[in-house]
Amino acid sequence: MSFNVAIDGPAGAGKSTIAKAVAKKLNLIYVDTGAMYRAMALYMLREQVPLLDTERIIEKCSQADITIRYENGIQVVQLNGENVNEFLRTEEVGKAASVISPIPEVRRKLVELQKTLAAHTDCIMDGRDIGTCVLPNAGLKIFLTASSEVRARRRYDELAAKGMEEDLQKIKADIEERDYRDMHREQSPLKQAEDAVLVDTSHMSADEVISIISQMCENGMQAFHGIKTFREI
Ligand code: DC
């Protein structure tokens, strides 16, 4: 049996930054499920499948073989054998992932992959439905959020640091649109699991969040495995 941590929350809440850092600190595998939906979206964009043509997407999704491997602790997403990591983090792919992710056939395929990964290894998995659907028995569930103003500002700063000038209000509107889509879809909508701990990072630094969540994970791991964690050994 493995110890799993589920982190859910809206786009831009800092899930991947936090999960990655905590995973490294505690020697857990980090599973980024958004990247899997992004890989599926990339496949549809490359195949020029209209994103609103659900039937074609269902037909095509069986031809997209998405697998995960780890290289020096970094998750590598393979699409039909190709490492596609460098193509996944664009706004276009993110938006397309949000549009196709409600399709049950897409979800079924990726959720199966996620469950298999978690069954075999202690991991931190982040996404939208991890605590509610993918890992309902996770040892620790966290719902990580922040106000849309704060999330838009973080995204703005991130783009500015790369020399990209974007309109803050437009970023905020995009984030709110994505939240709405992710929270109101019929299939596995984004919502806090009843037994998840709510962490609002609006007024916290990344280091503070990493420290709090690491502590929760350590306590959870200790209780689960009944052994001392690596720091105490
Ligand atoms: O976390 P992200 O921005 O990489 O996710 C991209 C999209 O994928 C997101 O808008 C909704 C979808 N997604 C999902 O439906 N379920 C998940 N577990 C993870 C992501």
Short mmCIF file of all heavy atoms in Angstrom, two decimals, residues 34-49 57 60-69 75-88 93 100 106 109-110 113:
data_model
loop_
_atom_site.label_atom_id
_atom_site.label_comp_id
_atom_site.label_asym_id
_atom_site.label_seq_id
_atom_site.Cartn_x
_atom_site.Cartn_y
_atom_site.Cartn_z
N GLY A 34 -2.57 17.59 -14.57
CA GLY A 34 -2.92 18.60 -15.58
C GLY A 34 -2.11 18.38 -16.86
O GLY A 34 -2.61 18.55 -17.98
N ALA A 35 -0.85 17.95 -16.67
CA ALA A 35 0.03 17.72 -17.83
C ALA A 35 -0.53 16.61 -18.72
O ALA A 35 -0.32 16.61 -19.93
CB ALA A 35 1.44 17.37 -17.36
N MET A 36 -1.23 15.65 -18.11
CA MET A 36 -1.80 14.55 -18.92
C MET A 36 -2.96 15.08 -19.78
O MET A 36 -3.09 14.74 -20.95
CB MET A 36 -2.29 13.43 -18.01
CG MET A 36 -1.19 12.84 -17.14
SD MET A 36 -1.87 11.58 -16.04
CE MET A 36 -0.50 11.38 -14.91
N TYR A 37 -3.81 15.93 -19.17
CA TYR A 37 -4.91 16.54 -19.95
C TYR A 37 -4.34 17.46 -21.02
O TYR A 37 -4.86 17.56 -22.13
CB TYR A 37 -5.89 17.29 -19.02
CG TYR A 37 -6.69 16.33 -18.18
CD1 TYR A 37 -6.27 15.96 -16.91
CD2 TYR A 37 -7.86 15.74 -18.67
CE1 TYR A 37 -6.98 15.04 -16.15
CE2 TYR A 37 -8.58 14.82 -17.92
CZ TYR A 37 -8.12 14.47 -16.66
OH TYR A 37 -8.82 13.55 -15.92
N ARG A 38 -3.25 18.13 -20.68
CA ARG A 38 -2.61 19.01 -21.66
C ARG A 38 -2.04 18.20 -22.83
O ARG A 38 -2.10 18.61 -23.98
CB ARG A 38 -1.48 19.83 -20.99
CG ARG A 38 -2.02 20.95 -20.12
CD ARG A 38 -0.93 21.60 -19.28
NE ARG A 38 -1.47 22.64 -18.42
CZ ARG A 38 -1.44 23.94 -18.69
NH1 ARG A 38 -0.84 24.39 -19.78
NH2 ARG A 38 -1.98 24.82 -17.86
N ALA A 39 -1.46 17.02 -22.52
CA ALA A 39 -0.91 16.18 -23.59
C ALA A 39 -2.03 15.71 -24.53
O ALA A 39 -1.86 15.68 -25.76
CB ALA A 39 -0.17 14.99 -23.00
N MET A 40 -3.17 15.36 -23.94
CA MET A 40 -4.31 14.95 -24.76
C MET A 40 -4.78 16.12 -25.63
O MET A 40 -5.09 15.95 -26.82
CB MET A 40 -5.44 14.45 -23.85
CG MET A 40 -6.63 13.90 -24.58
SD MET A 40 -6.23 12.44 -25.57
CE MET A 40 -6.40 11.14 -24.36
N ALA A 41 -4.80 17.32 -25.04
CA ALA A 41 -5.22 18.51 -25.79
C ALA A 41 -4.23 18.81 -26.92
O ALA A 41 -4.63 19.15 -28.05
CB ALA A 41 -5.31 19.71 -24.85
N LEU A 42 -2.94 18.65 -26.61
CA LEU A 42 -1.92 18.88 -27.64
C LEU A 42 -2.13 17.94 -28.82
O LEU A 42 -2.03 18.34 -29.99
CB LEU A 42 -0.53 18.65 -27.02
CG LEU A 42 0.66 18.78 -27.96
CD1 LEU A 42 0.85 20.24 -28.40
CD2 LEU A 42 1.96 18.28 -27.30
N TYR A 43 -2.46 16.70 -28.51
CA TYR A 43 -2.70 15.72 -29.57
C TYR A 43 -3.86 16.19 -30.46
O TYR A 43 -3.76 16.16 -31.69
CB TYR A 43 -3.02 14.36 -28.94
CG TYR A 43 -3.31 13.29 -29.98
CD1 TYR A 43 -2.28 12.75 -30.74
CD2 TYR A 43 -4.61 12.85 -30.20
CE1 TYR A 43 -2.55 11.78 -31.70
CE2 TYR A 43 -4.88 11.88 -31.15
CZ TYR A 43 -3.85 11.35 -31.90
OH TYR A 43 -4.11 10.40 -32.86
N MET A 44 -4.95 16.66 -29.84
CA MET A 44 -6.12 17.11 -30.61
C MET A 44 -5.77 18.34 -31.45
O MET A 44 -6.20 18.46 -32.60
CB MET A 44 -7.30 17.44 -29.68
CG MET A 44 -7.78 16.25 -28.87
SD MET A 44 -8.27 14.84 -29.91
CE MET A 44 -8.29 13.52 -28.68
N LEU A 45 -4.98 19.25 -30.90
CA LEU A 45 -4.58 20.45 -31.65
C LEU A 45 -3.72 20.06 -32.84
O LEU A 45 -3.91 20.53 -33.96
CB LEU A 45 -3.82 21.44 -30.74
CG LEU A 45 -4.63 22.11 -29.63
CD1 LEU A 45 -3.71 22.87 -28.68
CD2 LEU A 45 -5.67 23.08 -30.20
N ARG A 46 -2.77 19.14 -32.59
CA ARG A 46 -1.89 18.71 -33.68
C ARG A 46 -2.66 17.99 -34.78
O ARG A 46 -2.34 18.11 -35.96
CB ARG A 46 -0.81 17.76 -33.14
CG ARG A 46 0.30 18.48 -32.40
CD ARG A 46 1.29 17.44 -31.90
NE ARG A 46 2.51 18.04 -31.38
CZ ARG A 46 3.51 17.33 -30.87
NH1 ARG A 46 3.42 16.01 -30.82
NH2 ARG A 46 4.59 17.93 -30.42
N GLU A 47 -3.69 17.25 -34.36
CA GLU A 47 -4.50 16.49 -35.34
C GLU A 47 -5.59 17.36 -35.95
O GLU A 47 -6.41 16.88 -36.73
CB GLU A 47 -5.14 15.28 -34.66
CG GLU A 47 -4.15 14.22 -34.21
CD GLU A 47 -3.53 13.45 -35.37
OE1 GLU A 47 -4.27 12.94 -36.21
OE2 GLU A 47 -2.28 13.40 -35.42
N GLN A 48 -5.61 18.62 -35.53
CA GLN A 48 -6.60 19.60 -36.00
C GLN A 48 -8.04 19.14 -35.80
O GLN A 48 -8.90 19.32 -36.68
CB GLN A 48 -6.34 19.94 -37.47
CG GLN A 48 -4.95 20.54 -37.63
CD GLN A 48 -4.64 20.97 -39.04
OE1 GLN A 48 -5.28 20.54 -39.98
NE2 GLN A 48 -3.65 21.81 -39.19
N VAL A 49 -8.27 18.53 -34.66
CA VAL A 49 -9.64 18.12 -34.33
C VAL A 49 -10.33 19.34 -33.71
O VAL A 49 -9.80 19.92 -32.75
CB VAL A 49 -9.64 16.97 -33.29
CG1 VAL A 49 -11.06 16.59 -32.90
CG2 VAL A 49 -8.87 15.78 -33.82
N ILE A 57 -13.38 13.85 -30.90
CA ILE A 57 -12.40 13.77 -29.80
C ILE A 57 -12.46 12.38 -29.17
O ILE A 57 -11.42 11.76 -28.91
CB ILE A 57 -12.64 14.89 -28.77
CG1 ILE A 57 -12.24 16.21 -29.44
CG2 ILE A 57 -11.83 14.65 -27.48
CD1 ILE A 57 -12.30 17.41 -28.60
N LYS A 60 -10.77 10.00 -31.52
CA LYS A 60 -9.32 10.21 -31.60
C LYS A 60 -8.60 9.87 -30.30
O LYS A 60 -7.42 9.53 -30.31
CB LYS A 60 -9.03 11.68 -31.92
CG LYS A 60 -9.14 12.00 -33.40
CD LYS A 60 -7.97 11.38 -34.10
CE LYS A 60 -7.64 11.95 -35.42
NZ LYS A 60 -6.57 11.19 -36.08
N CYS A 61 -9.31 9.99 -29.17
CA CYS A 61 -8.59 9.86 -27.89
C CYS A 61 -8.03 8.45 -27.70
O CYS A 61 -7.02 8.27 -27.03
CB CYS A 61 -9.40 10.40 -26.74
SG CYS A 61 -10.22 9.25 -25.71
N SER A 62 -8.63 7.47 -28.37
CA SER A 62 -8.09 6.11 -28.23
C SER A 62 -6.75 5.97 -28.97
O SER A 62 -6.00 5.03 -28.74
CB SER A 62 -9.09 5.09 -28.76
OG SER A 62 -9.33 5.35 -30.12
N GLN A 63 -6.45 6.93 -29.88
CA GLN A 63 -5.18 6.85 -30.62
C GLN A 63 -4.04 7.60 -29.92
O GLN A 63 -2.91 7.61 -30.40
CB GLN A 63 -5.35 7.42 -32.02
CG GLN A 63 -6.31 6.60 -32.86
CD GLN A 63 -6.73 7.34 -34.14
OE1 GLN A 63 -6.02 8.21 -34.63
NE2 GLN A 63 -7.86 6.97 -34.68
N ALA A 64 -4.37 8.29 -28.83
CA ALA A 64 -3.33 9.03 -28.11
C ALA A 64 -2.84 8.17 -26.96
O ALA A 64 -3.55 7.96 -25.98
CB ALA A 64 -3.90 10.34 -27.59
N ASP A 65 -1.62 7.68 -27.09
CA ASP A 65 -1.07 6.85 -26.02
C ASP A 65 -0.25 7.77 -25.11
O ASP A 65 0.80 8.28 -25.52
CB ASP A 65 -0.19 5.75 -26.65
CG ASP A 65 0.41 4.86 -25.59
OD1 ASP A 65 -0.28 4.62 -24.57
OD2 ASP A 65 1.57 4.43 -25.75
N ILE A 66 -0.77 8.02 -23.92
CA ILE A 66 -0.08 8.93 -22.99
C ILE A 66 0.52 8.11 -21.85
O ILE A 66 -0.18 7.33 -21.21
CB ILE A 66 -1.06 9.99 -22.47
CG1 ILE A 66 -1.50 10.87 -23.65
CG2 ILE A 66 -0.44 10.84 -21.36
CD1 ILE A 66 -2.63 11.79 -23.38
N THR A 67 1.82 8.25 -21.67
CA THR A 67 2.50 7.53 -20.59
C THR A 67 3.39 8.50 -19.82
O THR A 67 3.70 9.60 -20.31
CB THR A 67 3.36 6.36 -21.12
OG1 THR A 67 4.23 6.87 -22.14
CG2 THR A 67 2.52 5.25 -21.71
N ILE A 68 3.77 8.08 -18.64
CA ILE A 68 4.57 8.93 -17.76
C ILE A 68 5.81 8.17 -17.36
O ILE A 68 5.74 6.99 -17.05
CB ILE A 68 3.77 9.22 -16.46
CG1 ILE A 68 2.46 9.94 -16.77
CG2 ILE A 68 4.58 9.98 -15.43
CD1 ILE A 68 2.61 11.32 -17.29
N ARG A 69 6.94 8.87 -17.39
CA ARG A 69 8.13 8.26 -16.78
C ARG A 69 8.85 9.36 -16.00
O ARG A 69 8.52 10.55 -16.16
CB ARG A 69 9.03 7.59 -17.83
CG ARG A 69 9.62 8.51 -18.82
CD ARG A 69 10.39 7.74 -19.91
NE ARG A 69 10.69 8.63 -21.02
CZ ARG A 69 11.72 9.46 -21.06
NH1 ARG A 69 12.57 9.50 -20.06
NH2 ARG A 69 11.91 10.26 -22.09
N GLN A 75 8.90 14.63 -13.99
CA GLN A 75 7.89 13.88 -14.75
C GLN A 75 8.04 14.16 -16.24
O GLN A 75 8.04 15.31 -16.68
CB GLN A 75 6.49 14.30 -14.28
CG GLN A 75 5.37 13.72 -15.11
CD GLN A 75 3.98 14.08 -14.57
OE1 GLN A 75 3.59 13.67 -13.50
NE2 GLN A 75 3.25 14.87 -15.31
N VAL A 76 8.17 13.09 -17.01
CA VAL A 76 8.23 13.24 -18.47
C VAL A 76 6.94 12.65 -19.05
O VAL A 76 6.61 11.50 -18.80
CB VAL A 76 9.46 12.50 -19.06
CG1 VAL A 76 9.44 12.56 -20.59
CG2 VAL A 76 10.75 13.07 -18.50
N VAL A 77 6.19 13.50 -19.79
CA VAL A 77 4.95 13.02 -20.38
C VAL A 77 5.26 12.62 -21.83
O VAL A 77 5.83 13.41 -22.59
CB VAL A 77 3.86 14.12 -20.38
CG1 VAL A 77 2.55 13.58 -20.95
CG2 VAL A 77 3.65 14.65 -18.98
N GLN A 78 4.91 11.39 -22.13
CA GLN A 78 5.15 10.92 -23.50
C GLN A 78 3.82 10.77 -24.23
O GLN A 78 2.88 10.16 -23.72
CB GLN A 78 5.86 9.58 -23.46
CG GLN A 78 7.21 9.68 -22.76
CD GLN A 78 8.12 8.53 -23.13
OE1 GLN A 78 9.31 8.74 -23.30
NE2 GLN A 78 7.58 7.34 -23.26
N LEU A 79 3.78 11.34 -25.43
CA LEU A 79 2.60 11.22 -26.28
C LEU A 79 3.02 10.38 -27.49
O LEU A 79 3.89 10.80 -28.25
CB LEU A 79 2.14 12.62 -26.70
CG LEU A 79 1.04 12.72 -27.75
CD1 LEU A 79 -0.24 12.04 -27.28
CD2 LEU A 79 0.76 14.19 -28.09
N ASN A 80 2.43 9.22 -27.59
CA ASN A 80 2.82 8.26 -28.63
C ASN A 80 4.34 8.15 -28.75
O ASN A 80 4.91 8.23 -29.85
CB ASN A 80 2.17 8.63 -29.97
CG ASN A 80 0.65 8.48 -29.91
OD1 ASN A 80 0.15 7.64 -29.17
ND2 ASN A 80 -0.07 9.28 -30.64
N GLY A 81 4.96 8.02 -27.59
CA GLY A 81 6.41 7.78 -27.56
C GLY A 81 7.28 9.03 -27.59
O GLY A 81 8.48 8.95 -27.37
N GLU A 82 6.69 10.21 -27.83
CA GLU A 82 7.49 11.45 -27.90
C GLU A 82 7.42 12.20 -26.57
O GLU A 82 6.32 12.37 -26.02
CB GLU A 82 6.91 12.33 -29.03
CG GLU A 82 7.55 13.70 -29.13
CD GLU A 82 6.75 14.66 -30.02
OE1 GLU A 82 5.78 14.23 -30.68
OE2 GLU A 82 7.11 15.86 -30.02
N ASN A 83 8.55 12.68 -26.09
CA ASN A 83 8.55 13.53 -24.89
C ASN A 83 7.98 14.90 -25.29
O ASN A 83 8.59 15.63 -26.07
CB ASN A 83 10.00 13.67 -24.40
CG ASN A 83 10.14 14.69 -23.26
OD1 ASN A 83 9.20 15.39 -22.93
ND2 ASN A 83 11.34 14.76 -22.69
N VAL A 84 6.80 15.24 -24.74
CA VAL A 84 6.14 16.48 -25.15
C VAL A 84 6.17 17.56 -24.07
O VAL A 84 5.49 18.59 -24.20
CB VAL A 84 4.67 16.22 -25.62
CG1 VAL A 84 4.63 15.49 -26.93
CG2 VAL A 84 3.85 15.50 -24.55
N ASN A 85 6.95 17.35 -23.01
CA ASN A 85 6.97 18.31 -21.90
C ASN A 85 7.06 19.77 -22.35
O ASN A 85 6.37 20.63 -21.84
CB ASN A 85 8.17 18.03 -20.98
CG ASN A 85 7.82 17.00 -19.92
OD1 ASN A 85 6.85 16.28 -20.06
ND2 ASN A 85 8.63 16.91 -18.88
N GLU A 86 7.93 20.04 -23.32
CA GLU A 86 8.17 21.44 -23.69
C GLU A 86 7.00 22.09 -24.42
O GLU A 86 6.99 23.31 -24.60
CB GLU A 86 9.45 21.56 -24.55
CG GLU A 86 9.30 20.88 -25.89
CD GLU A 86 10.52 21.07 -26.78
OE1 GLU A 86 10.88 22.22 -27.05
OE2 GLU A 86 11.09 20.05 -27.20
N PHE A 87 6.01 21.32 -24.83
CA PHE A 87 4.88 21.90 -25.57
C PHE A 87 3.63 22.09 -24.71
O PHE A 87 2.61 22.56 -25.20
CB PHE A 87 4.51 20.99 -26.75
CG PHE A 87 5.67 20.69 -27.66
CD1 PHE A 87 6.21 19.41 -27.73
CD2 PHE A 87 6.24 21.70 -28.42
CE1 PHE A 87 7.29 19.13 -28.54
CE2 PHE A 87 7.33 21.44 -29.24
CZ PHE A 87 7.86 20.15 -29.30
N LEU A 88 3.72 21.69 -23.44
CA LEU A 88 2.48 21.60 -22.64
C LEU A 88 2.06 22.88 -21.92
O LEU A 88 0.90 23.05 -21.60
CB LEU A 88 2.61 20.47 -21.61
CG LEU A 88 2.87 19.07 -22.17
CD1 LEU A 88 2.94 18.06 -21.03
CD2 LEU A 88 1.78 18.68 -23.16
N VAL A 93 -2.64 25.50 -25.12
CA VAL A 93 -2.80 24.10 -24.71
C VAL A 93 -3.59 24.02 -23.39
O VAL A 93 -4.46 23.15 -23.23
CB VAL A 93 -1.43 23.40 -24.62
CG1 VAL A 93 -1.54 22.03 -23.99
CG2 VAL A 93 -0.80 23.29 -26.00
N ILE A 100 -11.50 20.14 -23.34
CA ILE A 100 -11.73 18.70 -23.62
C ILE A 100 -11.80 17.83 -22.34
O ILE A 100 -12.29 16.71 -22.40
CB ILE A 100 -10.66 18.10 -24.58
CG1 ILE A 100 -9.28 18.09 -23.92
CG2 ILE A 100 -10.65 18.84 -25.92
CD1 ILE A 100 -8.36 17.08 -24.57
N VAL A 106 -12.23 10.85 -22.20
CA VAL A 106 -10.89 11.42 -21.94
C VAL A 106 -10.54 11.18 -20.48
O VAL A 106 -9.46 10.69 -20.13
CB VAL A 106 -10.87 12.94 -22.29
CG1 VAL A 106 -9.59 13.58 -21.79
CG2 VAL A 106 -11.06 13.17 -23.78
N LYS A 109 -9.78 7.46 -19.39
CA LYS A 109 -8.46 6.98 -19.81
C LYS A 109 -7.35 7.54 -18.89
O LYS A 109 -6.47 6.81 -18.44
CB LYS A 109 -8.24 7.45 -21.25
CG LYS A 109 -6.98 7.00 -21.87
CD LYS A 109 -6.98 7.28 -23.35
CE LYS A 109 -5.59 6.98 -23.89
NZ LYS A 109 -5.61 6.42 -25.21
N LEU A 110 -7.44 8.84 -18.59
CA LEU A 110 -6.36 9.45 -17.81
C LEU A 110 -6.47 9.11 -16.32
O LEU A 110 -5.46 8.92 -15.65
CB LEU A 110 -6.34 10.96 -18.06
CG LEU A 110 -6.07 11.32 -19.53
CD1 LEU A 110 -6.04 12.83 -19.73
CD2 LEU A 110 -4.76 10.71 -20.04
N LEU A 113 -4.82 5.80 -15.67
CA LEU A 113 -3.36 5.95 -15.61
C LEU A 113 -2.94 6.53 -14.24
O LEU A 113 -1.98 6.06 -13.61
CB LEU A 113 -2.92 6.87 -16.76
CG LEU A 113 -1.49 7.35 -16.83
CD1 LEU A 113 -0.53 6.18 -16.99
CD2 LEU A 113 -1.29 8.32 -18.01
#
